[in-house]
Every structure is written in C-alpha cells, then in structure tokens.
Amino acid sequence: MAGRFVRASKYRHVFGKSTRKEFCYDNLRISRNAWDTNLVKANPDYLAVNWEASGGGAFAVIPLNEKGKLPDVIPLFRGHTAAVLDTDWNPFNDRLIASASDDGKVMLWEVPKDFTLLGDAEEPADVYPVAKLSAHSRKVGQVLFNPAAENILASASGDLTIKVWDVGAGSAALTLKHPDVVQSLSWSASGTFLVTTSRDKKLRVWDVRQERPAHEGPGHEGAKNSRAVWLGEQNRFATTGFSKMSDRQLALWEPGNNTPIGGFNNLDSISGVCMPFWDDSCNCLYLAGKGDGNIRYFEYENDKFEFLSEYKSPEPQRGIAFLPKRGVNVHENEVMRAFKTVNDAYIEPISFTVPRRAETFQSDIYPPAVGLKAGVSAGEWLSGKTGLPPKIDFESVYDGGAPVEVPANYRPSAPLASPSLPKPTPKKEPEPAPATPRSPPTTTKEQTRSIAAIASKYDDDGVDDDTSSFEEVSKPLQRSALPPSPTKTTSAPAPRAASPVKSPTYASAPAAAISAPPPTGGSAGGPRVESTLEQIKQLIETQTQMITAQGQQINHLTSEVDGLKKRVGSGSQDQRERIRQLELELEELRS
C-alpha cells in the first residue's frame, strides 16, 4: 500500500482534555434515582445537578467559577415533594431554569443575583420556585425549552402526554397525546417539530402546533432505552439505541422515512445508553456512554457521520452535560466543553480543543452560533410564526467586546463553512486539494537545488546560444517545482536567479525552444546539452526513488503509531498526548 487517504477536516484532530481534581466540582451528592436522564445541565454561568436530598426532591445550582471542594451545606432549590428527574436551562435567560419531578409537577426557578455557594451563613437559605405548572397526573420525566421561541417549554409525562407550556402565561397551550411513555425528545432548530423516542420502539416526528404526529415509524429494535437528537438546522435527526442482540447503535434519519440513512451502525456491546449531543455550528455529534467513561465524536458530512476520535477515561459517567456553544473559550481553540459526573461525588469538566499554535482568532473553526436572543416570542410562535434565533460572531467575543449578531437567516454554504462575514482566512480552504502528490518537503527542496545547480554550472561554462540551450534545461526544472507548493510560480525564481539573462527567453517562447533542434553553431553546444539533460534525468530518477522510499517510511510510521494507540488503549494522558503529537507530525510530513 503506497499511501493512505485522509479526509480533510478542520476538526479531525479535536481531542478531549480532562481537568485536574482541584479544578473539578467536588463534595457533591448527585441523585441516585434510576430514571434515565442526564442528571446534569449546564449554561455559560451555572451547573444544575439533580441532588440526593431528604424530605422531598431538590436540585443544586453551582456557579461555574466556584471550583474545588464545595461546603458540606449549600443552598438547594427546593419545592418538589418527590425526586427531581430532569432540569433544563432557558436558552435565552441564563438565570431561568425549569425542573420536572416524580410528583407530577413542572416548576420554574430564577437564580438569585450574585448567587454563591461560598457564603458565610451556617444555614444558607434555600431557593424556592417562582412558578408551578400543574397539568400532568403522573410523574414528569423530561423538560425541554424551545430553541427558537421565547418561553416555550415541553414536558413529557407518564400520563402519556406531552404538554407545551407558555411559561410567561403559566398555562399549557398545547397537548400531544403519546401512545406510550416518552424516553427522550428533541426540538428542531426552528421549534416547529419535535422528535420523540418511546417505550413502544417507535420514532415520532410531531407537528407541534397541529398537535399531531407528522410521521411515525419503527426505531431501534432493542428492549433498552433509545435517545433522539435533532441535527440543528439540518432536516435530519440522529438516534441512539440497541439492536435485538443488545449492541449499541447509531442511526441517521430523514423525517418521513421509515429506514435510517445508511442503516443502523453498531458501536459496541456495552449496556449503557448513549447520550447524544449536537453542535450545530461545527456539525459535530458527541456520544457519551452512560456507565462507561468514553465520549465519541463524529462530524456530519454528506449524510454520513464521519468518526473523528474518542475521549477515553477509566472513570465512568452516569450523567453528562454539554455547554452551549456561546460559552466555549475561543482563546484556547475550545470547540466544546462537557461536564461529566464521577462516582456520584464530583463533576469533571472535559475540554475539546483544536490543537493549533496560532495566537490570533481562528475564524474557520468558529462559525456563528446561536446567542441569547430568541427568534420569535411565545405569542408569535403559538400563532404560527416561525423564525430562527439570530447568531453571534465569535470574533467579537474573542476581542472582548459585546457579541455581534449576524443575520438570522445565516446559512453555511457547505458543512463546516466559515462565518458569513467576509474574511480572508476562509478563502484558504480549497488548498488541501493540490496536496495529492504527498511529496516530503525536504526531498523536493533538495531536488530543486540540485537541478538549479546543474543549470547554473552549465550557464557558467559560457554557452553562446541564449535560446535553445536554456530552454532545454528549464522544462524539467518547471516540472520539479510543482510538488513543494500549490502555487506554481513561487519555486520557479530560484534557478533564474543564477542566470538573469535567460529570463526573457524563458518567458517568451518555451514551447518553441523545446521543439527546436540542438544548436549547430557551436561545436560543443549539442553534446553538452544532451549530457546535461542526461544528468538531470538521472537526478530526477534518483530523487523519485528517494521520494518513494520516504513515502514507504511514512506508511511504516503510521502503522507503528496505530499499533501504539491500540496497545496504549486507555493509558495515561501523557501517552495519549504523545501519540497525538506523532500523528500531527506525520500529517505535516504528508502535506
């Protein structure tokens, strides 16, 4: 095998980086309730954690900047009379959160201003709800805010209904009657549709404002729970579930079709549910296994999920939350951040970054993302209006200013497109195409210098003819200058610098000069040209053999790195980072 094709992607080298224990959130009492939810929800300011509390249900809110070991007694968000099963932050108000409980209630809470867990009070005051929404007759398992409309909340209950609430009015505006218990739900980017998975093993896409399913079809055949997540503004959604043989699966669906695009993809045979999370700005899907410590991530391209990499940890997670894109650290090239539970005692942040050394804003890996402004109001949405929320440009965040909005109808021209704002950097994206020859840069430079030296030596010998003899040498030189750079004119001036008198004839008629017969005026001109051409031919053949040998060496090193990765497995962080450095060096050598 002479070489290996590698798919071009800006996110191919994204890697997850764990956090030292002293920078985690420690001394927690995470709920041990067996209900299948994520246990943790995050926004750029706070973490919400389902709490193991006595005397009714409760959850805790932790400011993200208060890391380390928390006090033994902290203020809790109390009000439910049974265990809290799920929470969700309002996407347009970082201080407003909804909770669902085993007591059949949905409650709304507002985080107090300057809220902290590190106060001086021996008995910190608990926080109580600002609104109670009572319309379900059995436990409420999931709550999820509409991603486009302001103050629209969906709640799924064991009474086989999904209520859609106008939070501002405090009433249930719509009711979706579901045939069986809902296991997961996910909104489309515009908030028009809702996809659900159910205990009856069927997938349903709901036209919410019509209060009816727009499509119903079979899902994963396994008996265990399945999850669904809408792929943002794409007309697709993804599901995770199990096969009849209890293999974990991933599937991509188009609404209206009963069969997944490309079929069901088996992942492994681990028994824990895969929790999916979608990053709409980067078109990346993250799968976190419940009960294992691994997080896979894929890039969506051409109706396929292209595997990028996998974060591995010996510490299993029961719950996990992903930060909204507007909360990532753009100065460290962070494209996503997760918060995983560890041993029901502490929460560890996992940072996913693109390894680059540049000290300037990397516009190509930060397309615009949804900000803090809704697309439509609750009343407009209920009356039938649809609108996407405006996006923010990350360069304004990088510069330390207020987020700058880009048009609400922004559409990337292709997957992983650069921001719509005109910038010179995105125009460099087509460059990977000319890199097909995969010639090692050092060998090519040696070849160019050697040929230039021969041409210069021939010129110094004093050949009288200033047309045909120069052109016979220059044509092979032009071929050898192709591999080093996609721009063909950059490497040509090197040989011309040795003999400036030749540049007019080189630019005027190279084709005619090549076809011209050897000069007859000089007695030694013809044989000398033939001798020089023969030397150049032999040199090119030698260099070609060297290039081939180095290509084989690259393949050997690639195989060796792959073998090391398999043997290291879930080894130390230093070993994994060393392997990634080797991969980067090999990639630079190939390009």
Side-chain angles (χ1 to χ4, degrees), residues 19 99 219 270 276 318 353 356-357 413-414 475 481 537 578:
T19 305
S99 63
I270 301 176
R318 268 205 322 126
T353 59
R356 292 185 178 180
R357 296 189 181 94
S413 57
K475 189 60 179 179
K537 182 178 178 182
R578 175 57 183 163

Side-chain angles (χ1 to χ4, degrees), residues 224-255:
K224 299 179 183 178
N225 285 7
S226 62
R227 298 284 191 96
V229 61
W230 205 287
L231 304 190
E233 298 178 26
Q234 311 285 344
N235 187 33
R236 300 286 187 272
F237 62 89
T239 60
T240 59
F242 293 84
S243 67
K244 286 184 177 180
M245 303 301 293
S246 295
D247 292 327
R248 289 202 293 197
Q249 294 179 324
L250 170 65
L252 173 67
W253 305 81
E254 180 181 15

Side-chain angles (χ1 to χ4, degrees), residues 368-533:
V370 174
L372 269 172
K373 187 176 179 180
V376 293
S377 67
E380 290 172 335
W381 184 82
L382 290 171
S383 65
K385 186 176 180 180
T386 299
L388 290 170
K391 295 179 172 64
I392 58 171
D393 178 31
F394 278 100
E395 187 166 8
S396 60
V397 178
Y398 183 90
D399 295 334
V404 175
E405 291 185 0
V406 295
N409 60 352
Y410 168 80
R411 294 288 188 279
S413 57
L416 306 180
S418 300
S420 59
L421 300 178
K423 295 170 186 169
T425 305
K427 295 181 180 180
K428 295 182 180 180
E429 290 183 4
E431 288 186 359
T436 311
R438 298 195 181 279
S439 302
T442 54
T443 304
T444 307
K445 290 179 182 178
E446 292 173 0
Q447 180 179 351
T448 305
R449 288 196 297 266
S450 301
I451 296 175
I454 293 178
S456 177
K457 177 182 177 182
Y458 173 66
D459 178 60
D460 293 339
D461 288 342
V463 179
D464 294 333
D465 190 275
D466 62 347
T467 55
S468 61
S469 61
F470 172 75
E471 297 302 337
E472 290 287 341
V473 177
S474 66
K475 189 60 179 179
L477 178 61
Q478 187 179 5
R479 287 197 301 270
S480 66
L482 282 175
S485 170
T487 308
K488 298 180 180 180
T489 58
T490 56
S491 58
R496 290 205 299 269
S499 52
V501 295
K502 299 175 185 176
S503 55
T505 57
Y506 178 78
S508 59
I514 292 173
S515 60
T520 56
S523 59
R528 184 170 298 179
V529 169
E530 294 176 356
S531 174
T532 304
L533 287 176

